[in-house]
Amino acid sequence: MSTNQLQKIYKGTIIDSSKNGTFRLLKGILGISTEGKILFREKEEELGNITAKYNVQKEQIDDLERNFLIPGFVDTHIHGPQYKFMGTGLDLPLLKWLEKYTFPTESKFSNEDLAKNVYGKVIDQTLKNGTTTACYFATIHLTASKIFSDLVIQKGQRALIGKVSMDRNSPDFYVEKTQDSLDQNEEFIKYVKEKKNDLVEPIVTPRFVPTCSPQMMKGLGELAAKYNIAIQSHISENVNEVEWVKSLHPDEDGYAAVYDKYGLLNNRTIMAHGIYLTDKEIELFKQRNAAVAHCPNSNFSLSSGVLHLKKLLRNGIKVGFGTDVSGGYSPSMMDCIRQAIIASKATMFNTKNPDDELSYQDAFYFATLGGASALGLDSKTGNFDVGKDFDACIVSPFVSSANFHVFDDDDDIEIFQKFLFSGDDRNILKVFVKGRQVI
């Protein structure tokens, strides 16, 4: 079937992000092909010409009326198994939190029924909140990771999924042997690739340097290169963590240099947090064209610190937003947008530089197209450019159960801001991934 066959036209208010980070609002029409791709984006007055060109039937036109269309959100860092205890256990800093809550919970995912239950729910909940693309950590368990990938494919979300690797400084009940882990990683990579699903990809996933031996990191770097796949991990989230890495690798010039030494820092790498990256490490990130997943909820909740986001951006670092469930207590990217804006204000209070503050337009970009760019998916998703997949949400500000109200003199920009700061999943009527309605 040709990609230029029209399936649907959406007519009304379209809110979008563009490559230069600008915010676009258009009263227009968006044409979707039978293969779920964007055929055209035009002004409303072109509707007559378009309907004649494509011989459009009445049922092919969806008038949004006072609802509006936005790109689907992109979550660049989320731990699928941690959804089980999301919103609890935030009374400790990172390293103690891992020991008391995270490792015991993740170790239970050797139970396949638990894996199916939790993974199904986290996919449903993120989709419900408008997240059309997610970059997931699984656990060290091969079978459970396969279950996760199968469920994502079944439910239609776009995702990168990684079987976690950790072979040192981990509890006896939740640790791997190095070669076993590498072998299972390769099996998982092949398993996902053999599905030939263009929405779901494997991603190499060392938990972080303290739990991965040099042999493990070297092997994972080789797997990433062999299969040309992306890499995800954590970096410089917590002061004690940074000092721990220094003690483990005293001959290396910083945390980022350790990843770089083992082939884990390149243009397909996304590292969560990066709060305490040094200027030299930021320069290394720039040289390697690696990205940072900014997770403000988690940074606050685990008392890790506040990322100086604008400093990364001024240095040319790619950035996307992440919920970091369960360090972050919400699966909603709108929560992430709000917390990122608060974090930027906190930074600005400290630096006294008004340019360090993040606008809502900027934040929307990093939760959509910016996140897609950080994951290397911006040629496929993130906004409504012609030729991209139709990953989108239809938003209604007028549902009776909404957390805010719209008044007669509110304009479209004001209504959108109300949704962004006060809305939630109740306002998201429909969610599409590559043209398929998944919510």
Side-chain angles (χ1 to χ4, degrees):
M1 189 175 287
S2 172
T3 57
N4 64 2
Q5 288 186 285
L6 181 71
Q7 179 186 53
K8 178 74 74 174
I9 291 176
Y10 292 95
K11 172 181 174 290
T13 301
I14 301 166
I15 294 170
D16 203 10
S17 294
S18 64
K19 284 187 176 179
N20 60 3
T22 58
F23 176 83
R24 301 185 293 199
L25 185 147
L26 172 70
K27 290 286 192 181
I29 53 175
L30 205 64
I32 312 305
S33 77
T34 50
E35 293 191 350
K37 293 187 177 294
I38 299 166
L39 277 178
F40 55 79
R41 186 184 63 216
E42 300 284 354
K43 294 180 179 179
E44 279 190 358
E45 50 264 35
E46 292 297 315
L47 182 60
N49 295 330
I50 292 291
T51 54
K53 177 180 178 180
Y54 289 95
N55 190 25
V56 175
Q57 306 301 309
K58 183 178 180 181
E59 59 270 18
Q60 289 179 283
I61 301 176
D62 190 335
D63 191 338
L64 298 171
E65 297 178 342
R66 294 195 69 191
N67 299 330
F68 54 87
L69 200 62
I70 64 171
F73 292 118
V74 178
D75 188 342
T76 63
H77 185 71
I78 176 170
H79 294 260
Q82 293 179 21
Y83 182 74
K84 185 178 186 299
F85 66 104
M86 184 183 72
T88 67
L90 297 176
D91 54 328
L92 295 173
L94 173 67
L95 299 180
K96 292 182 179 178
W97 175 79
L98 288 170
E99 180 181 346
K100 183 175 179 180
Y101 299 108
T102 303
F103 294 157
T105 299
E106 290 191 8
S107 70
K108 297 175 183 176
F109 278 69
S110 57
N111 182 317
E112 295 177 25
D113 290 335
L114 177 67
K116 290 174 185 175
N117 186 14
V118 176
Y119 288 148
K121 285 181 168 60
V122 71
I123 298 164
D124 288 344
Q125 194 67 14
T126 50
L127 283 172
K128 182 180 174 183
N129 278 278
T131 298
T132 52
T133 301
C135 190
Y136 288 113
F137 276 58
T139 64
I140 67 173
H141 307 100
L142 175 60
T143 300
S145 299
K146 290 179 177 179
I147 288 169
F148 199 177
S149 67
D150 291 344
L151 285 168
V152 169
I153 290 170
Q154 174 190 324
K155 292 175 181 292
Q157 192 172 45
R158 188 185 302 275
L160 293 89
I161 302 174
K163 191 203 87 66
V164 171
S165 300
M166 42 196 285
D167 67 344
R168 67 172 178 177
N169 297 319
S170 304
D172 292 341
F173 59 83
Y174 193 54
V175 69
E176 302 171 285
K177 293 180 179 178
T178 307
Q179 193 57 51
D180 288 348
S181 178
L182 294 173
D183 291 344
Q184 289 181 14
N185 265 282
E186 186 159 26
E187 183 177 340
F188 178 70
I189 291 166
K190 289 179 178 178
Y191 181 84
V192 176
K193 282 185 167 290
E194 286 168 1
K195 296 289 183 179
K196 299 188 184 303
N197 183 289
D198 63 356
L199 296 178
V200 180
E201 304 175 31
I203 181 169
V204 164
T205 307
R207 176 163 229 118
F208 65 156
V209 166
T211 60
C212 294
S213 68
Q215 295 82 3
M216 175 76 89
M217 289 187 282
K218 180 176 183 292
L220 291 173
E222 290 170 351
L223 282 176
K226 179 179 179 179
Y227 291 97
N228 188 29
I229 59 174
I231 299 158
Q232 65 177 345
S233 194
H234 302 84
I235 194 168
S236 301
E237 178 179 359
N238 173 284
V239 172
N240 291 334
E241 167 212 4
V242 173
E243 291 303 313
W244 192 10
V245 172
K246 285 181 182 178
S247 72
L248 291 169
H249 298 270
D251 296 331
E252 302 302 330
D253 192 12
Y255 203 155
V258 180
Y259 284 122
D260 191 50
K261 178 178 181 177
Y262 298 109
L264 293 168
L265 197 70
N266 59 40
N267 65 351
R268 297 219 63 196
T269 298
I270 184 155
M271 290 285 174
H273 306 291
I275 301 169
Y276 300 103
L277 290 173
T278 65
D279 290 345
K280 192 168 186 176
E281 288 177 310
I282 291 172
E283 179 59 30
L284 180 58
F285 261 69
K286 183 178 180 180
Q287 290 173 9
R288 300 293 183 263
N289 198 24
V292 170
H294 179 30
C295 307
N297 186 317
S298 175
N299 294 345
F300 285 131
S301 296
L302 296 178
S303 303
S304 297
V306 181
L307 176 70
H308 191 167
L309 175 60
K310 285 294 188 75
K311 181 178 180 180
L312 294 183
L313 300 177
R314 292 183 193 116
N315 281 278
I317 308 301
K318 296 180 296 187
V319 176
F321 284 175
T323 59
D324 196 20
V325 167
S326 165
Y329 53 73
S330 172
S332 168
M333 288 299 294
M334 287 189 289
D335 170 85
C336 194
I337 285 170
R338 297 160 195 167
Q339 302 250 8
I341 291 171
I342 293 169
S344 75
K345 291 177 185 289
T347 301
M348 182 265 292
F349 295 152
N350 183 49
T351 63
K352 313 298 183 189
N353 182 357
D355 289 338
D356 285 334
E357 190 172 352
L358 200 65
S359 70
Y360 76 87
Q361 297 99 322
D362 292 336
F364 181 68
Y365 166 80
F366 290 114
T368 53
L369 184 57
S373 177
L375 295 177
L377 297 174
D378 50 318
S379 65
K380 297 180 179 181
T381 189
N383 69 351
F384 294 136
D385 282 356
V386 172
K388 290 190 179 183
D389 292 348
F390 184 62
D391 293 358
C393 305
I394 294 179
V395 175
S396 174
F398 305 100
V399 292
S400 59
S401 60
N403 196 40
F404 64 94
H405 292 92
V406 174
F407 298 92
D408 290 342
D409 58 347
D410 289 344
D411 62 27
D412 288 335
I413 289 292
E414 290 168 337
I415 294 171
F416 176 67
Q417 288 179 73
K418 286 185 175 185
F419 163 70
L420 215 56
F421 286 99
S422 299
D424 53 35
D425 60 281
R426 289 171 290 186
N427 299 106
I428 298 175
L429 299 186
K430 297 179 182 180
V431 179
F432 302 87
V433 179
K434 199 176 180 181
R436 172 188 171 188
Q437 186 175 333
V438 292
I439 292 291

